[in-house]
Amino acid sequence: MLKSLKKQNKKELDKRLNLLEALWGLTEILDDSFQEIYDYVLEKLLDLTRSKYAFWGHINESKDTITIYSWSEEAMKNRQIGDKPITYSIADAGIWADSVRKKKTIIINEYEKYDKHGLPEGPVAIKRLLSVPIFSHNRITAIAVVANKLAKYTQEDAEYVKVFVTSAQTIIERKKTEEALKESEEKYRLMIESVENYAIFALDPEGHIVSWSPEAERIKGYREEEIIGKHFSCFYTEEERRNGKPEKELELAAAKGKIEDEGWRVRKDGSYFWANIIITALRDEDGKLVGFVKVVRDLTEKKRMEEMLEEERRLFIGGPVVVFKWIAGENSIPVLYVSSNVKDQFGYKPEDFISGKINYADIVHPDDIERINKEAKLYREKGTPYFEQDYRILTADGEYRWVHDFTVIERDLEGKIKHYHGYVMDITERKRMEKELKTAYEKVRKTLEQEREFKLRIAHYFFNPIAIAKGYLSLVLEEGYSEEKIKRAIDAINRIEKVVHNVTKRGKIVE
């Protein structure tokens, strides 16, 4: 009796070792094609259950069809199966699909007593059948079917099939996720490369550069291979580095979530450019700081234009700035004078305003007029000498254009307002670029968040249990058979089974 018990225990240990070897084999084919993985799983299903026929298929989201990617050679021969994959309706499928319809394992050891109708058709002589549904996040995602084992199928066979195919399904899903991530990364790369006039790159939490873009290379002069890994403080002036400005900006971004600044920055060749920068902190789902994304726009030309505009304001000259002189009023804004370049900028003749044919308030966008009147009133009451506003005006050809209005208030000796001198400049292009920047930033932020989430979930939850099992098995294979080593191998597979159990039963990837 003791000899029989030992023989039984040895047989049980051998079966568990076979399962562990099959699981280990999965880790060796991670880089193989999907079809090669499907065929490997099928081969091991036949071996683990000592069956003659087998197939493995995936259930669609609506659970109404099954796509079978791999059949055993005997099953294909008897059922006259052609090219793979093949899709069947679960409603029309044979008794093997009851595991999906009833959401439980089906074991049939007297197949001749059951109704044989249903797909696939063909004269195969089934004697025994085991059909196991595979769950992921409380949903059936696959089905594994084996048939014609010489002995009766047992619940133990079902558990082995479930553990092995669930692990294989996890690898398949991970592989699909990785390929989707690669596709997403490629789209992200193409999107970043297509953004013009904005240098977009990522920093680690300490400020070292971890990604670069072609536009960043154009604006700053550094190639990707020579800038990756360097601290972003190399873009700042020597004085700003001494004052710790780069580090302070990261501290503020981490505290506030996002900061914006403008100032002189340094290119690789030592030349300076005026930059608008936005630094946004990136955090994981637990709120831990994982890095920053920085968007830099070269505003050297804009800075130059603003300096020119300031000079024009001082000298009352024309050019792109249209000069208005308005009579003091509450809402009507009558025009006393307008520079001749109003024709070039907005299409109107100066006399149209001066004669009163066109009232300036009438060309201000209806959605802006109330706001700018309230703002102007507030500035008047505060006694400020000048103020600035952005709003839209209607051009002579019927197009609304954004303008920046720098208004100087002229008062008499008693402080009473006599006139307003306005310097109006078309800023439509700037507004468009600001909108593009906001859109580009949102796309980058969402892509980085998705990338981070994919990598964290894959690395932490799906690969560790198999790696542990692989290590224990290596000890068994290297040092030879003993009950203590086999027990360690069993403990390892039990951990894997527990993880799989939690995935299938609770929908959580935990031990």
Side-chain angles (χ1 to χ4, degrees), residues 201-204 206-209 220 227 229-236 241 245-250 265 277 279 292 294:
F201 52 96
L203 309 174
D204 67 13
E206 287 73 39
H208 297 96
I209 299 163
K220 295 189 177 280
I227 196 62
K230 289 188 175 182
H231 198 270
F232 84 116
S233 59
C234 65
F235 304 135
Y236 290 73
R241 291 198 298 270
K245 183 172 182 177
E247 293 76 13
K248 290 176 182 177
E249 286 189 338
L250 293 189
R265 294 294 182 268
I277 65 106
I279 301 178
F292 302 88
K294 186 173 183 179

Side-chain angles (χ1 to χ4, degrees), residues 170-337:
T170 298
I171 288 177
I172 291 290
E173 291 176 357
R174 191 193 75 175
K175 189 176 180 68
K176 289 180 177 178
T177 299
E178 288 175 343
E179 293 192 356
L181 179 58
K182 289 179 182 178
E183 182 179 354
S184 174
E185 289 175 340
E186 178 65 13
K187 290 180 179 178
Y188 164 71
R189 183 187 64 80
L190 293 174
M191 185 271 292
I192 292 297
E193 292 180 355
S194 67
V195 176
E196 297 181 353
N197 302 319
Y198 297 95
I200 302 174
F201 52 96
L203 309 174
D204 67 13
E206 287 73 39
H208 297 96
I209 299 163
V210 296
S211 76
W212 201 236
S213 68
E215 198 65 7
E217 179 178 338
R218 186 189 69 80
I219 292 175
K220 295 189 177 280
Y222 292 92
R223 297 191 306 275
E224 182 176 13
E225 59 269 22
E226 61 185 354
I227 196 62
I228 294 297
K230 289 188 175 182
H231 198 270
F232 84 116
S233 59
C234 65
F235 304 135
Y236 290 73
T237 65
E238 184 177 348
E239 181 181 358
E240 287 175 332
R241 291 198 298 270
R242 285 198 306 266
N243 295 334
K245 183 172 182 177
E247 293 76 13
K248 290 176 182 177
E249 286 189 338
L250 293 189
E251 290 175 5
L252 283 173
K256 297 182 177 181
K258 180 176 73 173
I259 64 164
E260 183 172 1
D261 188 25
E262 286 193 9
W264 291 109
R265 294 294 182 268
V266 185
R267 295 188 178 94
K268 178 186 175 183
D269 61 6
S271 62
Y272 288 78
F273 69 100
W274 187 261
N276 170 268
I277 65 106
I278 295 176
I279 301 178
T280 303
L282 301 176
R283 298 184 180 276
D284 61 19
E285 57 187 9
D286 297 323
K288 180 183 178 182
L289 181 68
V290 296
F292 302 88
V293 61
K294 186 173 183 179
V295 180
V296 179
R297 181 182 168 197
D298 183 354
L299 294 182
T300 306
E301 184 62 21
K302 175 177 176 289
K303 178 69 172 175
R304 185 185 67 83
M305 289 182 65
E306 288 177 347
E307 290 175 349
M308 288 178 60
L309 178 57
E310 185 63 28
E311 182 68 18
E312 290 169 354
R313 289 170 182 163
R314 290 194 298 266
L315 300 176
F316 295 93
I317 65 174
V321 179
V322 179
V323 181
F324 283 87
K325 185 175 183 179
W326 294 295
I327 300 173
E330 289 294 326
N331 297 311
S332 61
I333 321 180
V335 175
L336 187 62
Y337 167 82

